[in-house]
Amino acid sequence: MTSVALRNLLARKARTLLTSLAVVLGVMMVSGTYILTDTIDQSFGNIFEQSNAGIDAVVSAKETVETDDNQESPFSADILDRVQGVEGVEAADGGIFDTQVSILDKDGEPIGGNGAPSFGASVVADRFDALSYPEGRKPAADDEVVIDKQTAGRAGYEVGDRVRVAGKEDATAYELVGVATLGDVDSFGGASIALFTLDEIRRVTRKEGEFDQISVAAAPGVSPEELTRRLDEALPASVEAQTGQEDTQAQKDDVGEFISILKTAMLIFSGVSLFVAAFLIFNTFSITVAQRTREFSMLRTIGASRRQLVRTVVFEAAAIGLLASVLGLLAGIGFAPAINALFHALEIDLPNEGSVVATRTIVLAFALGIGLTVLASLIPALRITRVPPVTGLREGAVLETPKSHRLRSALATGLTAIGAVSMLLGVFGALSPGELWIGVGAAAVFFGVALLSPRLVGPMAALVGRPLERFRGVSGRLARENAVRNPGRTASTAAALMIGLALVSFVAIFASGLSSSITAAFDKTVKADLILTNTDGFSDISAGVTGAVADVDGVEVASPTRFAQANTAGDEGGYLTLVDTDTVGSVMTLDWEEGDDAVLAGLGKTDAVIDEKWGREKGLSVGDDFKAETSSGKTLSYTVRGTFVDRADFNGDYVASDVTAAAYGEPNSLQQVLLSLEDGADTGAVRKDIDALVADRYPTVEPKDKGEFGDFISGEVNQLLGVVYALLALAVIVSLFGIVNTLALSIHERTRELGLIRAVGMSRRQVRRIIRYEAVITALIGAVLGSVLGVLFALIMSRPLADEGFALSIPVGTLIFLLILAIVAGVIAAIGPARRASRLDVLDALAYE
């Protein structure tokens, strides 16, 4: 039986290759994901290890609030004297390492991009300096700077050039006296680094008399652990000591969280491709097993057992899976740098030194490739054993019975219902973890609709096929009839495309709703004429910009806004907004439940207005008190003076006065400045003056009006959407292989029929048209079902978000475009099978059995 399986594979090389390619793409994504994330993880680890080489202990501020920016809180420089006085300390040096310093290119634009931070750092003693200077030297004067080699190359800077750097003070020009690398590594994980003297970096970051970190070397005979213990005993509770190894591991763990999110997201897309591939494999084996019914029945009559038949089909599947695993793993090694290049094109620079192919990745690739293929082939393999040999020897034997059709319909209805309910329970939090149950529910819905879709093929083929029949005559009619001849086959083929397009449609609908909801919430909350933000849209900007733009002629009010984090009412790292109560009433309003704009303008140091939903969860109402623990270690007490509805979570849990900004670690930076212009002011002239001001003094700041801000939000959403589409495209490509495979097998099955219609006068061009139209009909069935499911999923997922201001927005144009793409995809998928069908020799086809 093994030889029978091998001969069957070798005799049908094209089918074997097409089936393998579907699995190859899925395995490629999984293995590529692990290779990429393992490589990034190792590259970051090498950077952190080299950075902490020679450091036995690190002293930093004790973290009381886990913030998103991972910026170290500064502490008094007096701590250095206490560290140097601890027994067992041979050397210690303090430094600044700030995330709010940007290097500007020769056009005055910040260097870097999304996900690639820019840092400012101070020079440190040679024994703690992990940097090398292949060109030039360290900065020795306050008007000198050193930048990393990658940034210098990207911007075209050379030693001796003037480089402008922006921080929390006005942008300043420095002489470039050196280019730095980390050992032999030119890149710091895509980040840009500017190195200054200690006095200058303190001025640039407004950290006079402070350090972010102190590096410590132990005296001979003192272990890092012992040194850390002594430091903890001698230093105040506001700071903590870690061994150099612990600090390195902490940095690795911080990056590990990001890598874990990246890995999970990419594995979800990989799972989608594998899910689609499973449909293709199942469909292919279902067709081939049905076509070989007489062959298997003949084997049964000469003594082969049912187990041997199943073993034959499973062996074929295992062989295909093994081939696909090998090819998929090799393709994954190439796929990892391709994905990294995609991130790089989106200005998301990640370190990628070499490629890490772990044993776990290899084992997983083979387990997925072989396991998926074998599992997908089991049902067709078992189905053939239920056909009596005598029945199977008759031409046109059917594998399914009316009873099996009824069971299939019942199972399909049940799966669809259960899947929809699981998604709803997961969305509303009734089942935990919600994400898992949403995924399980979606998979059940896909299976249910796929099982139910044979009943829908007839009416849907009529819907999408009638126009072809009307305008293309006989070719269109034959194509429609061929599509409905075997509804199960057409449905299974369309189901693979349905999955991919359902997810694409869902993402498009959800992204459209998200973008419009955020823009609507912003328009409703913000009354300002102009909004000043960082060029990247989310990083801090200098607090000094507020006073500068307030002096521009035509500006009536410049109101700063700070977004901070604090531990409040049991929440760790909750979000909040700090406003200038003297000016906020002119530029912002809230959707009040209790209170009004006068309450917002009248907030005192211990007053706050809260999001009503957050207050309801925490049992807080007007007049109640709550405490907030800030990143500086201080605990603030607030009294609730009002409640508002924040549907887009624009202001966080509560809004308070910015007189406490220093307590939140935000005295010298903010996120937005909202500007209100004087009545009758020339908006164009005022905007021009502001543009000139920020370009000269604050080049990391970008003014936007409301329309531009909305366009910026849409652009950010669309950029993320582009990545999602690129990853989902692989699932769609896999489904196209399914159409090609099904058409190829169908042509093999209809060889005599094709020979007959050629014999009665049909031209080769008409044959090609029939195959193309059949592919288009199949693709459109999948696209229509996918679009309907995409809308259904968007409706389900948007329900709990409706209270947060999410408004479902269906991009009709995008969905129509997807249907057009499905037509194009069907035409492309049919090229090979159509050419093969048209080239069949008429006499050979008529004699074919």
Side-chain angles (χ1 to χ4, degrees):
M1 298 303 292
T2 300
S3 61
V4 171
L6 287 174
R7 281 198 302 272
N8 180 61
L9 288 172
L10 294 174
R12 297 171 176 86
K13 299 182 183 67
R15 187 209 70 192
T16 302
L17 179 61
L18 286 172
T19 307
S20 299
L21 283 175
V23 186
V24 166
L25 291 177
V27 173
M28 176 190 74
M29 283 195 69
V30 173
S31 57
T33 295
Y34 278 101
I35 291 169
L36 175 63
T37 53
D38 288 346
T39 301
I40 294 172
D41 192 20
Q42 178 176 282
S43 299
F44 270 119
N46 291 338
I47 290 173
F48 297 144
E49 288 172 2
Q50 291 186 56
S51 299
N52 277 358
I55 298 176
D56 295 309
V58 175
V59 176
S60 58
K62 184 171 292 184
E63 185 181 83
T64 55
V65 178
E66 186 175 347
T67 58
D68 292 339
D69 59 10
N70 291 320
Q71 170 67 47
E72 297 280 1
S73 298
F75 53 88
S76 173
D78 295 338
I79 298 292
L80 178 60
D81 294 333
R82 299 181 65 169
V83 169
Q84 291 172 332
V86 173
E87 183 179 357
V89 172
E90 182 176 75
D93 194 12
I96 300 291
F97 195 80
D98 195 280
T99 60
Q100 300 303 321
V101 175
S102 295
I103 304 169
L104 309 178
D105 62 21
K106 294 180 179 181
D107 294 326
E109 299 294 329
I111 299 173
N114 300 327
S118 186
F119 300 104
S122 61
V123 292
V124 294
D126 289 343
R127 71 174 301 161
F128 298 119
D129 193 357
L131 299 178
S132 301
Y133 304 90
E135 300 177 45
R137 56 174 175 81
K138 294 182 181 182
D142 292 345
D143 62 349
E144 297 176 345
V145 71
V146 167
I147 63 176
D148 62 282
K149 186 174 181 179
Q150 184 189 54
T151 300
R154 188 189 309 174
Y157 283 128
E158 296 179 354
V159 173
D161 288 345
R162 301 292 289 178
V163 178
R164 293 181 73 213
V165 182
K168 294 177 181 176
E169 294 287 355
D170 290 9
T172 305
Y174 300 88
E175 180 185 357
L176 183 63
V177 297
V179 173
T181 63
L182 187 63
D184 297 328
V185 179
D186 297 344
S187 169
F188 294 82
S192 300
I193 296 182
L195 196 65
F196 304 87
T197 61
L198 178 60
D199 288 340
E200 182 60 14
I201 188 63
R202 281 176 167 170
R203 185 194 71 83
V204 169
T205 60
R206 293 188 178 182
K207 292 182 178 179
E208 289 81 2
E210 295 178 320
F211 287 126
D212 287 330
Q213 180 177 289
I214 296 174
S215 301
V216 187
V222 179
S223 68
E225 292 74 19
E226 176 62 20
L227 177 63
T228 301
R229 186 188 65 78
R230 295 178 185 180
L231 288 169
D232 279 332
E233 290 177 353
L235 298 178
S238 59
V239 297
E240 62 180 352
Q242 289 181 305
T243 64
Q245 186 175 4
E246 288 173 339
D247 183 66
T248 299
Q249 188 58 49
Q251 295 180 70
K252 289 182 179 179
D253 291 342
D254 288 338
V255 171
E257 292 180 9
F258 161 73
I259 293 175
S260 177
I261 294 172
L262 175 65
K263 182 186 296 183
T264 300
M266 291 187 64
L267 286 177
I268 290 173
F269 292 109
S270 305
V272 171
S273 294
L274 287 169
F275 189 51
V276 174
F279 271 84
L280 189 155
I281 297 164
F282 171 79
N283 201 33
T284 300
F285 274 95
S286 294
I287 296 172
T288 55
V289 166
Q291 290 177 346
R292 296 162 61 194
T293 300
R294 296 180 69 187
E295 172 191 334
F296 285 128
S297 296
M298 180 66 72
L299 291 172
R300 287 287 307 280
T301 60
I302 61 175
S305 66
R306 291 182 175 182
R307 179 175 296 181
Q308 285 178 309
L309 294 185
V310 172
R311 194 178 300 162
T312 299
V313 177
V314 168
F315 181 83
E316 291 181 23
I320 292 174
L322 178 62
L323 174 64
S325 299
V326 174
L327 296 177
L329 180 60
L330 294 175
I333 296 174
F335 180 70
I339 289 295
N340 199 50
L342 173 62
F343 290 145
H344 183 74
L346 297 172
E347 297 184 338
I348 303 174
D349 291 324
L350 298 170
N352 191 12
E353 302 296 329
S355 294
V356 178
V357 185
T359 303
R360 174 253 290 134
T361 304
I362 298 173
V363 172
L364 185 62
F366 281 92
L368 282 174
I370 298 174
L372 179 72
T373 313
V374 169
L375 286 175
S377 69
L378 277 179
I379 293 178
L382 293 172
R383 186 184 297 167
I384 192 63
T385 64
R386 295 199 297 269
V387 179
V390 176
T391 303
L393 287 172
R394 295 201 306 264
E395 185 152 2
V398 179
L399 295 185
E400 287 192 290
T401 63
K403 181 179 179 182
S404 64
H405 279 297
R406 289 193 296 272
L407 290 174
R408 178 172 177 164
S409 298
L411 178 61
T413 303
L415 271 176
T416 305
I418 292 171
V421 171
S422 297
M423 289 186 69
L424 285 169
L425 292 177
V427 165
F428 286 100
L431 294 175
S432 182
E435 297 84 356
L436 174 63
W437 286 102
I438 290 171
V440 171
V445 169
F446 282 133
F447 274 121
V449 173
L451 290 172
L452 197 61
S453 55
R455 297 290 184 95
L456 306 176
V457 166
M460 292 191 67
L463 175 68
V464 300
R466 290 293 181 187
L468 286 175
E469 183 176 347
R470 179 175 180 181
F471 293 106
R472 306 308 296 178
V474 174
S475 298
R477 180 167 61 84
L478 288 177
R480 181 182 61 81
E481 291 176 351
N482 287 337
V484 299
R485 177 185 299 179
N486 192 326
R489 177 184 304 176
T490 302
S492 297
T493 306
L497 185 60
M498 171 193 73
I499 296 169
L501 289 183
L503 295 176
V504 171
S505 301
F506 163 72
V507 170
I509 295 168
F510 202 80
S512 176
L514 180 65
S515 179
S516 60
S517 299
I518 294 175
T519 303
F522 187 83
D523 286 340
K524 188 174 183 179
T525 302
V526 175
K527 300 187 292 183
D529 298 303
L530 292 175
I531 304 100
L532 272 59
T533 63
N534 194 292
T535 53
D536 63 16
F538 59 87
S539 296
D540 290 353
I541 59 177
S542 171
V545 72
T546 305
V549 296
D551 293 335
V552 174
D553 289 339
V555 174
E556 182 178 19
V557 172
S559 184
T561 302
R562 293 171 169 88
F563 303 128
Q565 289 179 261
N567 298 335
T568 53
D571 288 340
E572 294 188 0
Y575 294 91
L576 61 117
T577 300
L578 300 176
V579 298
D580 177 11
T581 55
D582 293 334
T583 58
V584 68
S586 300
V587 295
M588 181 186 293
T589 186
L590 297 175
D591 185 4
W592 293 100
E593 183 182 66
E594 292 187 62
D596 53 31
D597 288 349
V599 173
L600 181 64
L603 292 176
K605 185 176 181 179
T606 60
D607 298 329
V609 291
I610 65 173
D611 176 14
E612 61 86 21
K613 181 182 178 183
W614 180 74
R616 191 169 63 250
E617 292 173 352
K618 302 302 176 184
L620 297 173
S621 57
V622 174
D624 291 341
D625 297 328
F626 68 92
K627 296 184 183 298
E629 184 182 14
T630 70
S631 59
S632 65
K634 295 182 180 179
T635 299
L636 305 178
S637 296
Y638 288 106
T639 300
V640 179
R641 299 302 182 189
T643 60
F644 59 91
V645 179
D646 191 2
R647 298 191 183 280
D649 201 23
F650 183 72
N651 290 300
D653 299 333
Y654 62 93
V655 178
S657 171
D658 66 359
V659 295
T660 57
Y664 288 95
E666 299 283 352
N668 299 313
S669 60
L670 43 90
Q671 283 70 50
Q672 292 179 346
V673 179
L674 306 178
L675 303 182
S676 178
L677 305 186
E678 296 174 354
D679 291 338
D682 185 341
T683 303
V686 175
R687 174 69 180 271
K688 186 176 180 180
D689 291 342
I690 293 174
D691 286 340
L693 169 68
V694 297
D696 179 50
R697 297 176 57 186
Y698 305 100
T700 59
V701 176
E702 183 177 7
K704 303 181 183 73
D705 60 29
K706 282 189 175 183
E708 291 169 335
F709 193 83
D711 291 341
F712 173 79
I713 292 173
S714 297
E716 292 294 298
V717 173
N718 289 336
Q719 186 179 60
L720 178 61
L721 202 59
V723 177
V724 174
Y725 284 159
L727 294 173
L728 283 177
L730 286 176
V732 176
I733 291 172
V734 171
S735 66
L736 295 184
F737 284 129
I739 296 176
V740 174
N741 224 10
T742 301
L743 289 175
L745 291 169
S746 177
I747 290 167
H748 168 77
E749 192 175 75
R750 290 150 47 193
T751 299
R752 293 181 65 185
E753 175 189 325
L754 291 170
L756 181 61
I757 60 177
R758 284 292 313 285
V760 297
M762 182 167 281
S763 67
R764 289 185 173 182
R765 176 177 294 182
Q766 287 176 311
V767 171
R768 287 195 295 268
R769 283 178 183 170
I770 292 172
I771 303 302
R772 280 199 303 268
Y773 295 161
E774 186 177 345
V776 168
I777 291 171
T778 303
L780 278 174
I781 291 173
V784 171
L785 286 174
S787 298
V788 171
L789 285 181
V791 173
L792 174 65
F793 289 164
L795 284 170
I796 292 174
M797 296 298 291
S798 66
R799 287 308 83 207
L801 298 177
D803 292 339
E804 304 295 334
F806 182 87
L808 191 64
S809 174
I810 299 178
V812 177
T814 301
L815 297 183
I816 293 174
F817 179 70
L818 290 176
L819 292 177
I820 295 173
L821 280 183
I823 295 173
V824 174
V827 171
I828 293 173
I831 291 175
R835 286 170 60 88
R836 181 185 172 194
S838 66
R839 291 179 177 181
L840 287 174
D841 183 272
V842 176
L843 294 178
D844 289 343
L846 288 173
Y848 184 84
E849 291 189 16

